Structures are given as C-alpha cells and as structure tokens.
Amino acid sequence: SGQQRRYVIGVSQCSDDEWREQMNREITREALFYPEAEVVFRSAGDDNKRQIHDIELLMRNKVDLLVVSPNEADVLTPVIEKAYSKGIPVILVDRKIHSNQYTAYIGADNYAIGYNVGEYIASRLQGKGRVVEVTGLRGSTPAAERHRGMTDALREYPDIRVTASVDAGWRRDRARLVFDSLLTHAPEIDMVFAHNDRMAAGAYEAAVKYGREKEMLFVGIDALAGEGYGVEQVASGQLDATFIYPTGGDRVMQTAMAILTGKPYEHDVALSSALVNKGNARVMRMQTGQIRQLDEKIDMLDKRINHFLTRYASQRVLLYTCVVM
Ligand code: FRU
C-alpha cells in the first residue's frame, strides 16, 4: 500500500528448516504492525561462506539493521563485526559470535537447557546408564553450550556414562547416518540425547532399522508444534521428552523497531524454555492447535484489509476522474 517504507531490515538465517521458517513467519507477522518497515530474508543452508556472502550483500543493499543467526561463531565473527563497525545495528538471534560487537542478543539459555537435559537424563535413568549424545554443529554456540550444560549436570552422577558424542550438524539425514554406524559399534545404549528433535528423529529412524528403538529413550530440543515435529513425537511416544526452544520472531521484530526508532530495548532478551513430556504433550498440542487457528484468522483479516484498501484507493481515483470531468 501507499505507505512509505522507511526502514529495511535484513535477516540472515544460517539454515532452512521448520524452526527457521517458524521464526521467519513470526517476524513477517509482527512486521504487519510496522508498515514503515520492510524485511528481507536470506538463508545460507548451513554454509558459512554463503552466509558471509549474504551478509555482505545485505550491507551493499544498505539495510538499516541486520538480524543474524550465525552458522558457526568463529567464521562469522569478522563479517558481523564489520557490519557493526559501519554503524549498522546487529541483532544476534539464537546463535552467538565470539565478540561483543553487536547491538542485542535474543535467545534462550542453551547452557541451562543442556543442564536441564542432564538432570532429566539422570532422573530417567535413575542415576545409572549409557548415554549417546548427537550434537549440533560443533562450531555453533548452541551446540557447545548444550554440550557443556549436559556434561556439568552429569558430573554429579558417576554411574552415568556418555559413551559417544557425535556431530550431526543439526541435520536429520546426518544424524541417521552417524547413529546407524554407532549402533553397529555400541552394544548398549540406554538414552540418546540429540541437540534437536530433527536429529532425534534421524537417530530414531536408524534404531528402527535394527529393531532397537525400544531399547533406548530419545530426548531432543525444540518442541515445535505440527505434524512430525517435537510435540507430536512426544505425544506418539517416539521421543521420551523434548525442551522448548522458542523461535521468538515477534520479539526480534519488536527489538529491531525499538533500536531503529531510538526507543529503549534490552541488550539480552532471554527467552524461556520448558520440559515437554508425556504428561503435557497432549495439552500443548491442543493449545498450539488453537494458536494456529487464531494465526490463520489474523492472516485472513490482513488479506481483507488489504483488499478493502486497494478497492478504496481505486474508488478514489474514479471519484477524482468524475469530478475533473
Ligand atoms: C534450527 C536449529 C534448531 C536448533 C537451533 C540451534 O536451524 O537447528 O533445531 O535448536 O537451530 O541453533
């Protein structure tokens, strides 16, 4: 519509997957409330070089603010520092860099989530058992923090042994492959902790192939709603539990606009997490179903308003033409 777009926000996502899509949807939805802003999205497909290229491109296109979820911390730090030093505000989401050259960070505490997973494992295994960890991309901060959290929690339980820790780069297909080869080597596994639900699903698939999925429990992170995702996996019993890793796209957009318009904002926005297990997965499924319906209604209202606005605009043109004649 005729509104002037005064601000352009560039979003550089490290990956394309259902979790990223949900965050992007939330950002787009929240942007409806800021007609003076336009958001452009780039997705790097888990590729550092591509993400550096994306950020350079957004800078060349003179975005007013950058939102970045850096694929790997070390490699992405210089280009983000470069943008920041040029005066472009930078909001880091979910993943961090090894530098304080950024404007704000928004995300859940990955160390705390890892620690809670460790405690959960200890209580489910009653202090004794063998654990396999399927980690996210090692160079990304959530993987490092989740690993450290779990390890610290398990220090209190000497009879729980982490027999293997393998990097599956946040991807389902890779988790299936690495867990498949692990199964052929590791005789006994009581618990599998995958750093996200997608990798838990991949590991589970490999276990099913050998008819061994009942021998062990699977725990993940993310707890997305929707068919095949975390909450459903818990409800169906495929996952023993998962932890909510909020996408927080609405907060991202709100923070971006506060920064751009000179309003106060938080430097660190801590999104909260919670355990999803058999006991609450059904309730969560019901509630997220309702939220989804409300979301669809909001989208419908937006479409209608746009429709009316266009009609109104063309009527005005007509009226003007009549008056002139
Ligand atoms: C999505 C994702 C999530 C994970 C997060 C960690 O791209 O892989 O599944 O929790 O990134 O940064």
Side-chain angles (χ1 to χ4, degrees):
S1 53
Q3 289 269 8
Q4 236 194 323
R5 307 280 186 191
R6 286 205 293 137
Y7 303 111
V8 180
I9 298 169
V11 178
S12 165
Q13 294 281 14
C14 46
S15 327
D16 319 90
D17 51 58
E18 59 278 9
W19 193 89
R20 300 286 156 193
E21 275 163 27
Q22 177 167 314
M23 194 204 291
N24 291 350
R25 267 203 308 277
E26 290 161 351
I27 292 174
T28 307
R29 153 74 47 78
E30 194 65 20
L32 291 177
F33 296 96
Y34 304 96
E36 69 277 30
E38 181 190 341
V39 187
V40 289
F41 294 94
R42 306 284 306 174
S43 270
D46 303 310
D47 184 329
N48 292 327
K49 279 213 188 103
R50 225 168 104 188
Q51 190 167 26
I52 292 170
H53 173 86
D54 284 348
I55 296 171
E56 300 272 7
L57 184 87
L58 291 168
M59 281 195 290
R60 273 204 305 282
N61 289 346
K62 303 232 173 341
V63 294
D64 298 294
L65 181 144
L66 267 173
V67 173
V68 186
S69 189
N71 192 50
E72 291 194 276
D74 281 337
V75 196
L76 268 302
T77 298
V79 69
I80 292 170
E81 285 184 327
K82 182 171 152 191
Y84 184 80
S85 70
K86 280 192 170 176
I88 305 174
V90 176
I91 301 179
L92 297 177
V93 291
D94 138 63
R95 303 189 189 182
K96 300 174 187 161
I97 51 174
H98 296 313
S99 159
N100 57 11
Q101 304 288 293
Y102 62 89
T103 317
Y105 171 78
I106 299 174
D109 182 340
N110 282 295
Y111 176 84
I113 293 177
Y115 200 94
N116 288 336
V117 171
E119 304 246 271
Y120 181 82
I121 292 172
S123 86
R124 280 300 267 157
L125 298 183
Q126 295 175 325
K128 190 171 163 45
R130 290 160 208 257
V131 179
V132 166
E133 185 189 24
V134 180
T135 79
L137 194 63
R138 282 284 158 86
S140 66
T141 56
E145 289 166 1
R146 289 171 191 183
H147 170 77
R148 214 160 38 81
M150 179 208 66
T151 310
D152 285 353
L154 289 181
R155 255 187 247 293
E156 311 279 314
Y157 305 92
D159 291 333
I160 292 185
R161 283 183 40 217
V162 180
T163 54
S165 180
V166 286
D167 184 343
W170 301 117
R171 302 175 72 113
R172 180 184 177 135
D173 49 347
R174 223 172 289 160
R176 183 171 50 74
L177 287 175
V178 293
F179 198 66
D180 188 306
S181 76
L182 247 169
L183 280 170
T184 60
H185 296 113
E188 265 177 58
I189 303 168
D190 302 304
M191 174 76 77
V192 181
F193 166 35
H195 282 194
N196 67 14
D197 297 338
R198 224 168 322 113
M199 295 189 293
Y204 185 85
E205 211 184 312
V208 168
K209 176 178 159 196
Y210 296 102
R212 294 183 57 184
E213 76 278 11
K214 296 250 153 39
E215 286 173 29
M216 55 198 91
L217 299 174
F218 293 81
V219 171
I221 292 174
D222 280 350
L224 282 187
E227 214 182 309
Y229 302 148
V231 175
E232 298 275 330
Q233 289 176 41
V234 173
S236 74
Q238 176 175 325
L239 268 183
D240 186 53
T242 179
F243 287 77
I244 296 176
Y245 192 54
T247 40
D250 48 347
R251 297 296 292 279
V252 172
M253 190 63 202
Q254 289 158 9
T255 305
M257 290 313 290
I259 293 170
L260 285 170
T261 57
K263 301 216 174 77
Y265 62 91
E266 281 172 65
H267 182 67
D268 275 283
V269 179
L271 304 175
S272 48
S273 178
L275 169 72
V276 178
N277 63 8
K278 199 97 197 148
N280 62 5
R282 250 175 45 86
V283 177
M284 245 194 96
R285 187 162 58 173
M286 270 167 51
Q287 292 181 335
T288 50
Q290 278 171 353
I291 292 171
R292 181 149 302 194
Q293 283 180 7
L294 286 176
D295 275 350
E296 280 163 15
K297 286 189 180 169
I298 293 174
D299 283 341
M300 213 159 74
L301 277 181
D302 177 57
K303 285 212 186 77
R304 281 200 198 167
I305 289 170
N306 278 328
H307 177 74
F308 283 128
L309 283 177
T310 339
R311 248 196 13 211
Y312 172 68
S314 58
Q315 275 170 2
R316 270 211 320 210
V317 173
L318 260 180
L319 192 69
Y320 176 74
T321 327
C322 292
V323 171
V324 169
M325 293 198 329

